[in-house]
Amino acid sequence: MPERLIIGISGASGAIFGIRLLETLAQSNEYETHLIISPSARVTIVQETTYSVSQVEALADVVHNPADIGASIASGSFRVRGMIVAPCSIKMLSGVANSYDADLLTRAADVQLKEGRPLLLMLRETPLHVGHLRLMVQAAEAGAIIMPPVPAFYSKPETVEDIVNNIVGRALARMGIENELYYEWLGMRKGRPAPNA
Ligand SMILES: Cc1cc2nc3c(=O)[nH]c(=O)nc-3n(C[C@H](O)[C@H](O)[C@H](O)COP(=O)(O)O)c2cc1C
C-alpha cells in the first residue's frame, strides 16, 4: 500500500508550489495524496495559475473539504507520512503556532505535530514583522519545518519553472522524499550542474 501524504494549499501567493508537488507525487505513484484547499487558495489558484480548482483536485488521490473536521486525516490514528502546506499563509502559520484548529487544514497540521510526524510549512510573506517571526519560532518549537520558498541562484535557473521545481524538489527532499526536481551541488564549476538523479 502506498504511504499517505497530506498536501495543504492555503491562500498565500504561490499556489503553483502546491500544484507542482501534486503533479510530482502523482507521477511517482508512491504516495496516496490527501489534498485540502482552503477557500482563499481557491481564489489564488484562479488568480495566479492557468489551472482550474477542479484540475488541481484531479491531481490528488483524495480531496477533503476544509470544513470536514470529521475527515480521516483529522485523527492521529489515520497513518500518514506527514504533511506539506505549500504555500502557507500567515493565517495558517498562526493557526499552527497556536493550535487553533478551526478547520481541517489546521487540524491536520496540528495532528502531525502531536504525532511527531513531519509538517513542512512553505511560508510565503514578505516583509515579515516581529509577530510573524515569533509565530515561526513558536511553530518551529512545536516541531514544524519552516521553509519559505526562497529561490537559489547557484543552480542557474533560466525560467520560473526552474525556480519552482528547485524549491518543490528541496521541500520533498526535506521530507525524506527523494526526487529529480532539483540539482545536487557538487562543488564550484562553470555552467549548469547535472540533474540530481
Ligand atoms: C492574490 C492573493 C495573494 C495573497 N498572498 C498572500 C501571501 O503571500 N501571504 C499571506 O500570508 N497571505 C496572502 N494573501 C492573503 C490570504 O489569502 C488571506 O490572509 C487568507 O485569509 C488566508 O486564508 P487561509 O490561510 O485559510 O488560506 C493573498 C491573497 C490573495 C488574494
Side-chain angles (χ1 to χ4, degrees):
M1 200 178 81
E3 273 192 290
R4 301 169 180 131
L5 189 71
I6 306 172
I7 305 295
I9 304 183
S10 64
S13 186
I16 191 63
F17 293 116
I19 295 170
R20 185 57 36 80
L21 266 173
L22 289 166
E23 286 173 337
T24 306
L25 294 163
Q27 279 165 14
S28 87
N29 267 331
E30 283 174 37
Y31 289 89
E32 177 184 288
T33 50
H34 287 248
L35 173 66
I36 321 161
I37 300 177
S38 78
S40 308
R42 298 177 82 86
V43 175
T44 54
I45 287 169
V46 172
Q47 174 66 28
E48 297 185 339
T49 79
T50 55
Y51 295 75
S52 66
V53 173
S54 47
Q55 282 172 326
V56 177
E57 288 178 336
L59 294 168
D61 294 301
V62 184
V63 177
H64 297 278
N65 183 324
D68 183 10
I69 43 91
S72 55
I73 57 172
S75 170
S77 65
F78 189 72
R79 293 186 196 93
V80 301
R81 167 71 171 269
M83 178 170 177
I84 303 177
V85 184
C88 177
S89 69
I90 290 292
K91 174 178 168 241
M92 175 76 200
L93 169 71
S94 181
V96 171
N98 293 292
S99 299
Y100 187 69
D101 300 347
D103 59 17
L104 184 60
L105 204 43
T106 40
R107 169 65 187 168
D110 201 28
V111 165
Q112 305 317 303
L113 295 180
K114 85 183 174 74
E115 299 297 334
R117 300 173 188 152
L119 168 69
L120 188 148
L121 304 179
M122 199 179 278
L123 181 73
R124 216 294 334 169
E125 188 50 276
T126 195
L128 297 159
H129 64 59
V130 71
H132 299 148
L133 299 172
R134 286 199 181 105
L135 289 172
M136 279 194 251
V137 169
Q138 218 172 301
E141 283 172 346
I145 301 160
I146 309 293
M147 186 171 177
V150 179
F153 293 95
Y154 53 80
S155 56
K156 297 192 165 56
E158 289 167 1
T159 63
V160 173
E161 195 83 352
D162 288 344
I163 292 173
V164 169
N165 286 346
N166 186 268
I167 288 168
V168 168
R170 293 295 299 274
L172 283 169
R174 181 63 181 82
M175 293 289 285
I177 301 172
E178 265 319 327
N179 64 90
E180 295 178 17
L181 282 179
Y182 70 100
Y183 292 89
E184 188 177 10
W185 177 252
L186 297 172
M188 299 293 288
R189 62 183 168 186
K190 289 196 175 122
R192 202 179 171 140
N196 179 53

